């Protein structure tokens, strides 16, 4: 405690010094100077303390020990402000705003480490600053007014603003943390010069949007990078009040992911907006997207666009043939949205590729019914249906004509009248008019054994030295003879094999001599003979 000190006595914390102060109150006539270089001023009392307002500003200030440290006026901090131990910072006593150029470090174990009152905390450095906020304390007013750098949220440091987030200048990067604006708060001055970066999985959340809460257009000033401002506006006035979270990711992927999956590389915006709602159902939100010319991929036509979203299986169109407004940045609005998921905008002339909705194979009465469904098709010529005894080797068993280009859901079916007995696999390949093809994942099916053999031979054509032979259907063990016959009826290969009903038969048949190119007949001589034609190249 300062006692018996003459009025206007000066105290200086010099460059490189550390002042551990344990006083509880101080005489306002005492003049403290702390801006001489880089130094530390620590409030370390195990009890209540007044925070001295220096004649200039603090370098680094730490509040530690325990109990409440109460500000006696506005604080200007050139370095870091740290709340640690079990201390509490209280600025709810009047005009006690905080402006600082360093890092906000709040690791206090106090149940309420920052009593913010109705004061403003301003980040105003020209370099990067960090908020470490381990207890999730809220700010009343938070102002970003930087001449350079960004404000980063440290890992696990979610931030809540209960009144105003003022984006005057500079960006705040939330990374994997959430920045929440409560039902009594709002965001002002968001612009291309100052916005929220969603560089990770964190969301900018605004609470209580809708009837009975915050109505009208609510801006989400967001962007993925410091040079790419792509904000969103949500107006849920017609829906039940709810919390809405927004983040934006680079590019668009067929699987609806954030920067992972199969890239869509033409006639699309290079941004995906992820929108979440706190409680599913009851919303009816008008959503306005905003982007720049640099976000348009390929010969993107702003006069003919589709707003689309990913429903968990496919990209669906919510609005078709719409035109953008604005002259850069550009905007487009979709009204009455009640299903929230990834969103983007595509060129209307080239729909986004979609995934296969369904592909299944079902045994029925000794046959296998193959069914599949597409949500839309682009230049689809035909489908190839293949069957295999395993997931690495398949043979073609049928072709079904496609529907070219269509935005309608299409259903297809194919019946395999002579399936393998036991376990087998079915695979679908889609072929475009230009010959481009896409192979989908195979599905497994099990057909009850019938006692009648079925044969699967690969590769076809063979090089003439061997074939792989898969036999199925037999319900008892037996010995069989494999015979290869040429077109003259001469036997060119003969061997005996054993069919084990428990392990099946899937082996390589090595020919006794190299076979010449041509057509041959494979005979498996069992009580029910199997005959297959094979080709040697």
């Amino acid at each position: 405690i300062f006692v018996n000190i003459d009025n206007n006595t000066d105290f200086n914390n010099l460059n490189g010094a550390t002042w551990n102060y344990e006083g509880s109150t101080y005489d306002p006539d005492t003049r403290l100077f702390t801006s001489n270089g880089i130094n530390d001023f620590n409030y370390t009392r195990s009890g209540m303390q007044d925070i001295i307002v220096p004649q200039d500003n603090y370098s680094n200030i730490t509040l530690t020990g325990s109990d409440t440290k109460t500000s006696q006026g506005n604080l200007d901090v050139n370095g870091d402000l740290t709340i640690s131990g079990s201390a509490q910072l209280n600025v709810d006593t009047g005009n006690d705003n905080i402006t600082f150029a360093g890092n906000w470090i709040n690791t206090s174990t106090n149940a309420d480490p920052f009593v913010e009152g109705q004061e403003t905390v301003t980040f105003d450095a020209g370099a990067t600053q960090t908020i470490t906020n381990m207890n999730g304390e809220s700010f009343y007013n938070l102002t970003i007014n930087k001449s350079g750098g960004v404000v980063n949220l440290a890992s696990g440091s979610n931030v809540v603003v209960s009144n105003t987030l003022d984006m005057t200048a500079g960006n705040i990067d939330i990374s994997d943390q959430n920045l929440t604006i409560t039902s009594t708060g709002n965001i002002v001055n968001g612009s291309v010069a100052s916005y929220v970066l969603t560089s990770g999985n964190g969301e900018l959340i605004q609470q209580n949007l809708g009837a009975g809460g915050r109505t009208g257009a609510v801006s989400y000033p967001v962007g993925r990078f410091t040079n790419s401002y792509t904000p969103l506006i949500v107006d849920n006035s017609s829906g039940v009040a709810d919390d809405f979270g927004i983040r934006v990711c680079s590019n668009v992927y067929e699987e609806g992911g954030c920067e992972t999956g199969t890239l869509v590389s033409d006639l699309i915006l290079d941004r995906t907006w992820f929108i979440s709602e706190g409680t599913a159902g009851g919303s009816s939100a008008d959503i306005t997207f905003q982007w720049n010319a640099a976000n348009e991929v390929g010969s993107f036509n702003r006069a003919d666009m589709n707003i689309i979203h990913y429903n968990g299986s496919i990209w669906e169109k919510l609005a078709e043939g719409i035109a953008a407004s604005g002259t850069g940045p550009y905007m487009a609005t979709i009204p009455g949205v009640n299903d929230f998921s990834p969103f983007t905008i595509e060129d209307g002339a080239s729909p986004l590729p979609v995934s296969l909705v369904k592909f299944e194979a079902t045994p029925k009465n000794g046959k296998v019914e193959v069914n599949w469904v597409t949500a839309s098709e682009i230049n689809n010529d035909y489908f190839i249906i293949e069957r295999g005894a395993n997931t690495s080797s398949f043979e073609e068993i049928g072709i079904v004509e496609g529907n070219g280009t269509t935005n309608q859901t299409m259903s297809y079916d194919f019946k395999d009248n002579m399936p393998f007995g036991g376990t087998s696999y079915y695979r679908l390949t889609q072929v475009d008019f230009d010959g481009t093809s896409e192979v989908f994942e195979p599905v497994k099916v099990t057909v009850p054994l019938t006692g009648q053999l079925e044969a699967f031979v690969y590769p076809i054509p063979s090089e003439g030295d061997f074939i792989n032979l898969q036999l199925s259907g037999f319900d008892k063990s037996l010995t069989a003879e494999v015979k290869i016959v040429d077109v003259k009826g001469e036997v060119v290969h003969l061997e005996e094999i054993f069919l084990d009903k428990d392990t099946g038969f899937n082996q390589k048949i090595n020919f006794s001599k190299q076979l010449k190119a041509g057509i041959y007949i494979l005979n498996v001589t069992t009580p029910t003979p199997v005959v297959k034609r094979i080709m040697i190249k």
Side-chain angles (χ1 to χ4, degrees):
I1 301 174
F2 293 115
V3 295
N4 300 321
I5 301 297
D6 291 337
N7 289 345
N8 300 320
T9 298
D10 293 346
F11 290 85
N12 292 285
N13 203 32
L14 300 180
N15 182 41
T18 298
W19 190 330
N20 294 316
Y21 177 63
E22 294 191 3
S24 58
T25 61
Y26 83 106
D27 186 338
D29 290 327
T30 300
R31 303 196 309 174
L32 175 65
F33 293 87
T34 59
S35 65
N36 189 303
I38 299 175
N39 55 68
D40 299 301
F41 199 98
N42 304 325
Y43 289 83
T44 60
R45 182 183 178 86
S46 297
M48 299 177 64
Q49 288 182 278
D50 290 341
I51 298 175
I52 304 169
V53 178
Q55 300 300 306
D56 43 13
N57 47 58
Y58 283 103
S59 178
N60 297 314
I61 178 172
T62 297
L63 313 177
T64 187
S66 61
D67 219 314
T68 302
K69 320 300 180 184
T70 304
S71 175
Q72 302 301 303
N74 293 329
L75 296 177
D76 191 356
V77 182
N78 277 340
D80 297 342
L81 188 154
T82 302
I83 312 171
S84 62
S86 60
Q88 177 189 72
L89 169 58
N90 183 0
V91 297
D92 189 19
T93 58
N95 188 23
D96 299 325
N97 301 311
I98 303 174
T99 301
F100 65 102
N103 300 314
W104 175 278
I105 306 170
N106 177 8
T107 60
S108 173
T109 58
N110 192 290
D112 187 14
F114 179 47
V115 181
E116 66 271 24
Q118 296 186 359
E119 309 307 316
T120 300
V121 175
T122 300
F123 289 76
D124 70 348
T128 296
Q129 298 174 266
T130 299
I131 298 177
T132 300
N133 207 37
M134 302 311 295
N135 290 301
E137 271 293 313
S138 66
F139 297 93
Y140 183 73
N141 295 323
L142 178 61
T143 297
I144 309 299
N145 187 17
K146 297 173 59 61
S147 59
V150 299
V151 175
N152 291 322
L153 300 191
S155 177
S157 298
N158 296 318
V159 167
V160 176
V161 178
S162 60
N163 191 53
T164 300
L165 172 62
D166 187 344
M167 301 297 298
T168 301
N171 300 317
I172 178 169
D173 187 350
I174 63 176
S175 187
D176 293 327
Q177 288 59 242
N178 292 332
L179 171 57
T180 301
I181 312 300
T182 69
S183 58
T184 57
N186 67 336
I187 302 174
V188 299
N189 294 327
S191 70
V192 68
S194 186
Y195 53 93
V196 177
L197 300 178
T198 61
S199 65
N201 295 316
E203 294 182 323
L204 172 57
I205 300 171
Q206 301 204 57
Q207 295 180 335
N208 201 33
L209 308 189
R214 297 172 61 191
T215 56
V218 176
S219 175
Y220 285 76
V222 295
R224 189 66 171 177
F225 306 110
T226 54
N227 60 352
S228 180
Y229 181 49
T230 50
L232 217 65
I233 297 174
V234 176
D235 187 341
N236 191 41
S237 300
S238 300
V240 177
D242 205 345
D243 302 343
F244 290 88
I246 307 293
R247 66 185 175 107
V248 61
C249 292
S250 296
N251 300 313
V252 178
Y253 296 85
E254 292 184 16
E255 301 84 0
C258 177
E259 301 176 9
T260 181
T262 306
L263 176 68
V264 181
S265 57
D266 195 20
L267 301 176
I268 198 81
L269 294 185
D270 68 351
R271 291 293 181 268
T272 301
W273 290 269
F274 288 77
I275 306 175
S276 66
E277 59 177 340
T279 303
S283 298
S284 181
D286 300 345
I287 301 175
T288 299
F289 303 87
Q290 184 172 311
W291 69 95
N292 309 294
N295 299 121
E296 298 170 351
V297 180
S299 302
F300 189 85
N301 183 5
R302 300 184 205 106
D304 180 19
M305 308 181 304
N306 303 327
I307 297 178
I308 56 179
H309 84 139
Y310 192 76
N311 66 5
S313 299
I314 61 171
W315 285 95
E316 294 181 326
K317 296 180 179 66
L318 297 184
E320 298 183 58
I322 64 175
S325 60
T327 57
Y330 303 98
M331 293 182 290
T333 300
I334 176 72
V337 177
N338 54 27
D339 185 11
F340 298 92
S341 58
F343 291 80
T344 193
I345 301 177
E346 67 175 1
D347 188 293
S350 182
L352 187 70
V354 298
S355 302
L356 189 70
V357 176
K358 181 179 75 171
F359 176 55
E360 59 186 14
T362 307
K364 189 174 182 180
N365 299 325
K367 300 176 175 58
V368 172
E369 295 181 355
V370 184
N371 305 97
W372 66 99
V373 177
T374 63
S376 64
E377 299 174 17
I378 306 170
N379 299 321
N380 180 22
D381 190 2
Y382 59 90
F383 295 96
I384 300 173
I385 301 92
E386 298 173 296
R387 179 185 62 197
N390 51 53
T391 57
S392 58
S393 300
F394 289 87
E395 65 174 348
E396 178 183 315
I397 59 173
I399 292 178
V400 174
E401 184 179 358
N403 279 279
T405 298
T406 176
N407 292 325
Q408 297 180 349
T409 299
M410 305 301 299
S411 298
Y412 297 89
D413 60 79
F414 176 84
K415 185 176 290 186
D416 182 5
N417 292 317
M418 299 184 65
F420 293 152
T423 298
S424 59
Y425 299 85
Y426 289 80
R427 189 173 71 175
L428 189 68
T429 299
Q430 181 269 319
V431 183
D432 288 347
F433 289 117
D434 64 1
T436 303
S437 63
E438 179 178 6
V439 180
F440 297 98
E441 288 294 316
V443 295
K444 180 180 178 180
V445 66
T446 300
V447 177
L449 298 175
T450 62
Q452 181 175 346
L453 263 67
E454 295 290 345
F456 173 46
V457 179
Y458 62 96
I460 297 296
S462 166
E463 296 287 347
D465 51 354
F466 75 92
I467 57 172
N468 291 294
L469 178 60
Q470 162 78 34
L471 296 172
S472 65
F474 51 93
D475 54 6
K476 60 183 179 180
S477 298
L478 68 158
T479 299
E481 193 175 66
V482 175
K483 183 188 300 182
I484 307 292
V485 180
D486 65 15
V487 292
K488 298 178 182 180
E490 297 180 358
V491 177
V492 295
H493 180 81
L494 179 66
E495 72 175 84
E496 189 176 84
I497 61 174
F498 179 72
L499 307 182
D500 190 326
K501 70 179 180 67
D502 296 319
T503 61
F505 185 88
N506 187 1
Q507 296 181 19
K508 179 186 288 188
I509 303 298
N510 292 303
F511 300 146
S512 52
K513 65 179 180 178
Q514 183 81 23
L515 300 184
K516 297 179 181 179
I519 303 298
Y520 294 81
I521 303 298
L522 166 71
N523 286 282
V524 182
T525 58
T526 61
T528 305
V530 172
V531 179
K532 297 281 286 187
R533 189 178 69 165
I534 61 175
M535 179 182 294
I536 306 298
K537 66 177 180 179

